[in-house]
Amino acid sequence: MKIAVLGHGTVGSGVCEILLSRAREISSAAGKPVELGPVLDIREPENVPYSEKFIKDFSAVLSDPEIGIVAECIGGLEPAYSYIKSALECGKSAVTSNKELVAEKGAELLSIARAHNVNFLFEASVGGGIPLIRPLYSAMNAAGITEIAGILNGTTNYILTKMFRFGADYSEALSDAQRLGYAERDPSADVLGWDACRKIAILSSLVWGSTLKPSEIPTEGIDKITADDVKIAEQFGFSIKLLARAKFLENGKIFAKVSPAFVKTDSPLSTVSDVFNAVLVKAETTGDVLFYGKGAGKMPTASAVVADIIECAKSENNIADVFWEDGAQSVFAGSDSVSERYFIRTDSDISGLIPEAGKIAEHAYITPLLTAGEFSVLKEKINEHAKLLSNIPIYE
Ligand code: HSE
């Protein structure tokens, strides 16, 4: 069986390398010969030992009956969506590392795959090389998952780690992450939290069975975190992490949020550093389960794509049990459905507005438990007396 690789960027080139260098192990795991087929890229072929495989026309993939699986590593919605949709409709399985595509179009593509008796798998879309998607829909499918909290973006975790460890400048740490191939082409998707938002939307849809749209999830990035926040957090036994959270509420709806958060240094999430990701899953039967590993980078991510290729190759006519639907109504519970405490820092004294016990340092406070709406009211009051310099929720 031939595999078409779409996109020869960081992940796509890693997939080609693994398919070639580990061909024997891959074919043996799949129970049939699996080989690298055409590599689609709009750019000129690179100087690689398989440059003769480069093509520019996707219709050649659709018309080749030897190609059983398409590995999409282009990223973004188009043309990735159209390519995968037509491959599935032609009876070819598809695998992808593309979180934007899975978060936006996952339900539709899963349903098209089912209708054509092929697979659509996306292990690499969340958590890079961490086996996460498959354990969640298979090993934990009877666990009664109630909550997910994750560090799901390697670039921002790398930046925050550098800021904590070395007092590094934000932009210097970002350039480093880009040089190492962790950051998205446009790093705003990382630093503004959109990448983590898409990933928690995928996990939530997968675990609770109905699409949670990224556009509904309140999302804040790390671009406003300062060296002063880092210093105070350290002094009071916290680290700052970009957390993506989702919680199944009693009314059957889901609360989700992406934001920087103060995380107590005794939490397992607090010690996750550099490009590593971690996902803490709380479930009724298992209690806490922690997934940990490299969440970004060429080979870890490519390795997850190849694992999906093997899964598709060995389970022809056997559709994986991964599925969710676009529900008729939104499953998002609203940002006021959960209360939390916030760390705030101002330019002058606001003791009168916060209970005495909340003051932790000069012009730094921890609020009582507040909904997002109550916190907005407090922020307005604070702004009448002082300048609000930072506000960061506390993860408990
Ligand atoms: N830019 C992403 C990250 C890549 O830094 O986590 C992996 O999805």
Side-chain angles (χ1 to χ4, degrees):
M1 177 185 284
K2 281 190 187 161
I3 315 301
V5 176
L6 314 184
H8 194 257
T10 307
V11 179
S13 58
V15 171
C16 294
E17 282 172 36
I18 297 176
L19 284 175
L20 290 169
S21 65
R22 304 184 63 82
R24 206 156 39 86
E25 294 93 323
I26 291 167
S27 296
S28 145
K32 63 186 66 147
V34 170
E35 64 172 289
L36 176 64
V39 179
L40 180 92
D41 203 293
I42 48 168
R43 295 164 293 191
E44 286 310 305
E46 287 175 40
N47 186 18
V48 286
Y50 48 90
S51 57
E52 81 288 352
K53 292 185 182 290
F54 277 69
I55 60 165
K56 289 198 165 73
D57 179 9
F58 181 65
S59 62
V61 172
L62 291 182
S63 59
D64 185 343
E66 283 188 59
I67 297 172
I69 302 164
V70 164
E72 186 275 312
C73 309
I74 304 170
L77 278 186
E78 283 294 356
Y81 167 70
S82 304
Y83 287 173
I84 290 192
K85 188 168 180 244
S86 38
L88 296 171
E89 286 168 346
C90 273
K92 300 179 194 296
S93 286
V95 305
T96 184
S97 55
N98 184 336
K99 45 253 153 150
E100 189 174 357
L101 179 73
V102 180
E104 296 289 342
K105 303 282 188 188
E108 184 192 339
L109 292 172
L110 283 165
S111 146
I112 296 173
R114 254 192 194 184
H116 291 84
N117 207 27
V118 288
N119 273 303
F120 173 56
L121 300 178
F122 41 87
E123 183 63 62
S125 65
V126 186
I130 309 171
L132 177 63
I133 302 284
R134 220 178 324 282
L136 286 181
Y137 75 72
S138 59
M140 291 190 76
N141 59 5
I145 296 173
T146 53
E147 202 175 322
I148 304 167
I151 295 170
L152 293 177
N153 183 269
T155 302
T156 45
N157 205 44
Y158 183 86
I159 293 171
L160 290 170
T161 304
K162 293 258 155 184
M163 288 176 79
F164 263 80
R165 270 201 206 133
F166 309 113
D169 187 49
Y170 170 80
S171 49
E172 185 193 332
L174 172 60
S175 320
D176 237 24
Q178 285 175 303
R179 187 178 48 80
L180 292 165
Y182 301 149
E184 298 297 303
R185 257 173 295 172
D186 171 4
S188 25
D190 296 298
V191 298
L192 300 182
W194 308 334
D195 178 73
C197 169
R198 290 168 185 145
K199 290 168 176 170
I200 195 70
I202 294 172
L203 295 183
S204 188
S205 304
L206 174 80
V207 162
W208 294 304
S210 196
T211 301
L212 176 63
K213 293 197 186 95
S215 58
E216 292 181 297
I217 303 176
T219 299
E220 251 180 72
I222 61 159
D223 53 318
K224 296 189 189 72
I225 304 291
T226 65
D228 287 337
D229 298 325
V230 167
K231 226 181 283 161
I232 295 184
E234 261 188 321
Q235 204 178 330
F236 288 92
F238 292 96
S239 58
I240 300 176
K241 295 290 176 193
L242 182 69
L243 283 194
R245 292 179 274 163
K247 194 172 187 168
F248 190 76
L249 304 180
E250 274 171 11
N251 63 4
K253 298 259 180 185
I254 293 154
F255 169 79
K257 173 172 179 164
V258 175
S259 74
F262 267 41
V263 180
K264 269 256 174 242
T265 37
D266 59 7
S267 159
L269 293 177
S270 153
T271 50
V272 176
S273 42
D274 296 315
V275 75
F276 282 89
N277 281 193
V279 184
L280 182 61
V281 178
K282 293 183 187 286
E284 280 163 12
T285 55
T286 56
D288 291 1
V289 176
L290 185 70
F291 296 89
Y292 172 85
K294 279 195 177 158
K298 176 174 171 167
M299 288 320 226
T301 311
S303 162
V305 174
V306 175
D308 276 350
I309 290 174
I310 295 173
E311 193 61 28
C312 289
K314 84 175 175 205
S315 44
E316 266 180 303
N317 302 319
N318 183 7
I319 303 310
D321 202 14
V322 48
F323 200 70
W324 70 81
E325 291 177 330
D326 285 330
Q329 285 178 343
S330 165
V331 290
F332 182 56
S335 45
D336 273 343
S337 51
V338 159
S339 296
E340 49 195 351
R341 298 189 299 150
Y342 294 80
F343 160 78
I344 53 181
R345 199 164 58 79
T346 51
D347 68 343
S348 55
D349 195 74
I350 52 146
S351 300
L353 297 175
I354 301 277
E356 185 54 31
K359 183 164 179 174
I360 57 167
E362 186 72 3
H363 306 160
Y365 309 83
I366 305 267
T367 72
L369 284 171
L370 300 169
T371 63
E374 289 165 342
F375 186 51
S376 289
V377 173
L378 176 64
K379 280 199 281 189
E380 273 171 36
K381 272 201 221 154
I382 291 171
N383 280 325
E384 286 167 16
H385 297 82
K387 189 164 180 223
L388 184 60
L389 300 174
S390 306
N391 62 96
I392 303 172
I394 296 178
Y395 172 67
E396 324 190 63

